[in-house]
């Protein structure tokens, strides 16, 4: 049975907040812009933060930039909550980033599922084993966005020494239930599809969920988590309904506006973290931006036009 530090286990059953990666006008990473987002998320009660996740545009970063961001995030978090560090891409890049994340002080590693076009189930097991060795004792969270590798392979992955949990990011709750049934009871299973999918994944055994909303409105994510923890599914679904349009905007253009909506919202709130990088969509369309602005006004997170004019005149 897998042994996980109790504090890390508890945090993993909470909200895994996926931090954005800020860029400046020269398209350079600008870590300092992340500080108020980190502080607000921790202050709101987000349980664990993630550097170099997909909301952090992991695949748009060089390995050197990802190393810069994990070091910066670790300094900003300063041990107040656990820090998960995303690693992935080629095996040597993944191992190098695992070593850098360990040196930065990350609590655990989050292993992105390889996007290689020639992935074999047993090859993924070897991939995770190599990263575990490079991490030199750091616990691993598997980030599964595609369960097509099969339940047999997932079961083997969960047996790799050091694997502490799985972020299940496939909209297949019944397969998740079967994976949990077949797996090590010591593994922590986390809903990896944000707030919208948290209730059905929680219903079959996942605990906690990932969130990009925490960059914008962490208090709301915390309220959803509290409702699920209390078993109050009607309340959780009501709260999810309040932010569902935000997730709909993120899912548009084949999910290409996923990070775009988060960064556009931050700009409207006066916390500019720059644009997203191609091939992500940037900027939002006029309709998307109108909808997003109205959402933020309804959430009291951005001023309406009349208030903006009044402030400018005053």
């Amino acid at each position: 049975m897998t042994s996980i530090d109790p504090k890390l286990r508890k945090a993993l059953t909470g909200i895994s907040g996926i931090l954005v990666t800020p860029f400046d006008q020269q398209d350079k990473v600008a870590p300092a812009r992340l500080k108020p987002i980190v502080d607000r998320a921790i202050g709101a009660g987000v349980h664990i933060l993630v550097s170099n996740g997909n909301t952090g545009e992991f695949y748009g970063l060089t390995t050197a930039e990802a190393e810069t961001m994990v070091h910066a995030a670790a300094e900003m978090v300063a041990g107040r909550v656990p820090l998960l560090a995303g690693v992935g891409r080629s095996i040597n890049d993944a191992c190098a980033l695992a070593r850098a994340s360990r040196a930065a002080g990350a609590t655990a590693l989050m292993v992105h599922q390889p996007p290689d076009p020639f992935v074999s189930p047993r090859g993924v097991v070897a991939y995770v084993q190599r990263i575990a060795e490079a991490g030199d004792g750091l616990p691993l969270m598997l980030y599964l966005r595609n369960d097509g590798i099969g339940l047999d392979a997932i079961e083997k992955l969960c047996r790799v020494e050091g694997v502490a949990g799985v972020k299940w990011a496939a909209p297949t709750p019944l397969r998740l239930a079967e994976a949990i049934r077949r797996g090590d009871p010591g593994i922590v299973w986390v809903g990896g599809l944000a707030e919208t999918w948290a209730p059905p994944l929680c219903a079959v055994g996942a605990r906690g969920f990932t969130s990009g909303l925490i960059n914008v409105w962490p208090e709301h994510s915390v309220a959803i988590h509290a409702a699920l923890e209390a078993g109050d599914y009607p309340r959780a679904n009501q709260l999810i309904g309040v932010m569902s349009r935000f997730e709909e905007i993120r899912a548009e253009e084949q999910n290409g506006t996923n990070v775009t909506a988060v960064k556009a919202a931050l700009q409207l709130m006066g916390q500019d973290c720059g644009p997203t990088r191609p091939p992500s969509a940037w900027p939002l369309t006029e309709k998307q931006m109108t909808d997003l602005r109205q959402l933020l006004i309804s959430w009291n997170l951005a001023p309406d036009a009349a208030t903006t004019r009044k402030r400018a005149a005053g």
Side-chain angles (χ1 to χ4, degrees):
M1 179 172 175
T2 300
S3 177
I4 306 173
D5 176 78
K7 290 183 179 179
L8 177 59
R9 174 185 287 276
K10 179 66 175 176
L12 288 171
T13 65
I15 300 169
S16 296
I18 320 298
L19 298 168
V20 296
T21 296
F23 303 121
D24 63 18
Q25 293 180 336
Q26 287 72 47
D27 193 33
K28 304 292 185 184
V29 292
R33 299 187 184 190
L34 192 59
K35 185 65 161 59
I37 295 170
V38 168
D39 288 344
R40 182 176 178 186
I42 294 173
V46 174
H47 309 85
I48 190 166
L49 292 177
V50 183
S51 176
N52 296 326
N54 281 339
T55 305
E57 298 178 77
F58 176 69
Y59 290 100
L61 304 178
T62 66
T63 299
E65 288 174 328
E67 290 183 8
T68 295
M69 290 310 303
V70 72
H71 276 274
E75 290 180 8
M76 293 172 193
V77 171
R80 290 177 289 173
V81 296
L83 176 68
L84 278 184
V87 303
R89 296 194 287 259
S90 76
I91 184 59
N92 288 327
D93 282 335
C95 289
L97 190 49
R99 289 188 288 268
S101 298
R102 189 177 189 281
T107 312
L109 302 176
M110 183 183 74
V111 183
H112 288 270
Q113 197 166 2
D116 192 301
F118 304 115
V119 173
S120 70
R122 59 192 171 101
V124 176
V125 175
Y127 181 84
V128 171
Q129 288 171 332
R130 287 270 299 274
I131 293 171
E133 292 169 4
D136 194 21
L138 279 186
L140 271 60
M141 287 293 295
L142 306 177
Y143 182 24
L144 296 182
R145 292 183 58 80
N146 180 356
D147 60 11
I149 60 173
L151 293 177
D152 288 344
I154 292 170
E155 187 175 345
K156 291 176 182 176
L157 282 171
C158 291
R159 292 177 184 160
V160 173
E161 186 174 357
V163 170
V166 178
K167 291 185 181 295
W168 187 275
T172 51
L174 295 183
R175 280 177 70 82
L176 169 59
E178 177 62 11
I180 293 173
R181 188 190 68 79
R182 292 173 54 160
D184 183 336
I187 291 286
V188 178
W189 297 83
V190 177
L193 290 171
E195 288 83 355
T196 306
W197 272 89
L201 296 182
C202 180
V204 298
R207 289 295 172 265
F209 53 84
T210 58
S211 174
L213 180 67
I214 63 96
N215 293 279
V216 176
W217 197 12
E219 297 83 358
H220 198 71
S221 293
V222 171
I224 292 169
H225 181 266
L228 289 173
E229 281 285 283
D232 191 346
Y233 281 76
R235 174 62 174 163
N237 285 321
Q238 185 270 324
L239 291 168
I240 290 168
V242 172
M243 47 81 66
S244 61
R245 179 58 187 142
F246 181 72
E247 293 300 319
E248 289 170 0
I249 295 172
R250 296 181 69 194
E252 291 177 3
E253 301 184 51
Q254 298 183 12
N255 221 29
T257 50
N258 191 292
V259 186
T260 312
V262 176
K263 284 193 165 181
L266 288 169
Q267 285 186 343
L268 290 170
M269 294 167 62
Q271 296 181 348
D272 188 5
C273 285
T276 61
R277 284 177 170 173
S280 169
W282 186 269
L284 290 178
T285 66
E286 183 175 345
K287 181 182 186 310
Q288 290 166 343
M289 197 65 177
T290 298
D291 288 354
L292 180 63
R293 183 179 290 107
Q294 289 304 314
L295 268 181
L296 294 181
I297 290 170
S298 71
W299 297 347
N300 295 317
L301 294 179
D304 59 26
T307 303
T308 302
R309 288 195 297 270
K310 184 177 180 180
R311 288 178 180 174

